[in-house]
Amino acid sequence: MMVPEVFLNVAVVQTDIYWENVTANLSSLEEKITAVDQPFDVLLLPEMFSTGFTMNKDAAEPMNLTTTRWMKQMAAQTGALLTGSMAIRESGNCYNRLFCVYPDGRTLTADKRHLFRMGRENEVYTRGENRLIVEWKGWKICPLICYDLRFPVWSRNTASDPFDLLIYVANWPARRSYAWNTLLRARAIENQCYVAGVNRVGADATGTEHQGDSVVLDYLGEPQLLLGNKESIKVVRISKYDLQEYRKIFPAWSDADDFRVLP
């Protein structure tokens, strides 16, 4: 008896970001999201979508304030799992914190592991120690943040902690777009999983240009969705059945080296 396909509809939000203006960003995003006329199960927002990639500690919010509540509201309204990161202030430290918010309000978080020292992120934010795997509609999903893309060990699909979809939320500069596109494809191929990369467009207050290039790739590294360099929200359907069948006929994962990540 044939196993039925298990689909996941992924909405990717490629947007410009108003610098350190939470109200403007949330209002703009809400307008764009509510205009989507296709059903979706997961909605992906860029890194620090409510402020831009700021090193200003005063722009960080406490937990369960404006942006967190907005994510819960939008998750309930859309019935989707919302994923994105924001600057959070907690117990005297600041974190670039990734949120996965379910429609029922349940919230899972993980802090960015690899902090971008070339932008002084390591001087402002405290790094995370734990990787997050979330389960939703029969899928296992691993969401990571921007610079984490450059570190394949942290992104590795393992037998003890497996996933089907790997997500990177980012503020990746246009001048390093070749690395963005190349590394996303590498992560899909080596992990034999779907990969989604959501990046912003536009220039931030530091003058850094971003050209988007948000993408959803299949387990072969082949694009299923490409957003180019303009503001856009698009939905793509991916198949867990196709993924499982490919892993059966080409089980490279079974020859992977066993390892553990040290603190």
Side-chain angles (χ1 to χ4, degrees):
M1 184 176 185
M2 181 175 288
V3 177
E5 289 190 323
V6 178
F7 293 113
L8 196 71
N9 295 313
V10 181
V12 180
V13 182
Q14 181 167 282
T15 185
D16 201 348
I17 299 175
Y18 297 96
W19 188 254
E20 296 182 359
N21 191 332
V22 173
T23 301
N25 285 313
L26 300 188
S27 177
S28 174
L29 285 167
E30 185 168 343
E31 183 177 352
K32 292 170 184 174
I33 293 166
T34 55
V36 177
D37 59 1
Q38 296 174 261
F40 53 86
D41 306 302
V42 177
L43 186 132
L44 308 181
L45 300 165
E47 178 184 24
M48 290 194 185
F49 63 87
S50 61
T51 59
F53 188 60
T54 178
M55 297 301 109
N56 176 13
K57 290 184 176 183
D58 291 336
E61 290 184 30
M63 285 288 288
N64 301 314
L65 204 62
T66 306
T67 305
T68 311
R69 292 174 181 174
W70 178 86
M71 288 191 79
K72 290 181 178 180
Q73 173 193 327
M74 294 308 299
Q77 185 174 323
T78 62
L81 177 75
L82 260 64
T83 299
S85 90
M86 67 184 85
I88 289 292
R89 186 170 61 253
E90 186 176 65
S91 301
N93 294 320
C94 289
Y95 302 89
N96 185 345
R97 182 162 291 173
L98 189 139
F99 284 73
C100 288
V101 180
Y102 290 82
D104 63 3
R106 184 163 52 104
T107 301
L108 301 177
T109 67
D111 299 322
K112 188 176 182 180
R113 168 77 169 191
H114 300 92
L115 302 174
F116 189 61
R117 68 177 59 250
M118 286 70 82
R120 296 180 38 264
E121 188 180 17
N122 61 312
E123 299 175 19
V124 177
Y125 296 93
T126 300
R127 82 167 190 168
E129 300 294 340
N130 300 307
R131 196 175 75 167
L132 181 64
I133 305 289
V134 301
E135 296 192 38
W136 178 236
K137 296 196 171 183
W139 290 70
K140 289 191 175 182
I141 302 170
C142 178
L144 301 174
I145 305 176
C146 202
Y147 193 40
D148 287 334
L149 174 61
R150 287 185 177 268
F151 302 92
V153 172
W154 190 243
S155 303
R156 191 67 173 139
N157 208 349
T158 64
S160 61
D161 206 14
F163 52 78
D164 309 302
L165 170 62
L166 181 59
I167 294 168
Y168 295 95
V169 303
N171 270 217
W172 197 282
R175 61 181 174 270
R176 290 189 287 276
S177 62
Y178 186 81
W180 167 257
N181 291 309
T182 302
L183 293 171
L184 285 170
R185 188 163 291 188
R187 299 294 88 84
I189 294 168
E190 71 195 6
N191 289 303
Q192 294 189 292
C193 69
Y194 290 98
V195 168
V198 54
N199 191 27
R200 66 162 292 180
V201 294
D204 66 21
T206 71
T208 302
E209 294 281 351
H210 306 81
Q211 69 178 39
D213 289 331
S214 298
V215 64
V216 176
L217 305 168
D218 70 10
Y219 36 84
L220 297 171
E222 295 285 350
Q224 306 301 294
L225 179 70
L226 291 168
L227 293 191
N229 62 3
K230 299 184 185 306
E231 285 195 307
S232 180
I233 302 181
K234 290 189 177 178
V235 180
V236 64
R237 171 173 279 199
I238 57 178
S239 167
K240 189 172 179 181
Y241 175 76
D242 289 348
L243 170 63
Q244 290 172 327
E245 288 300 297
Y246 175 71
R247 285 174 172 173
K248 287 178 186 176
I249 64 173
F250 196 80
W253 56 269
S254 62
D255 296 316
D257 300 303
D258 190 23
F259 65 90
R260 65 186 180 91
V261 178
L262 299 175

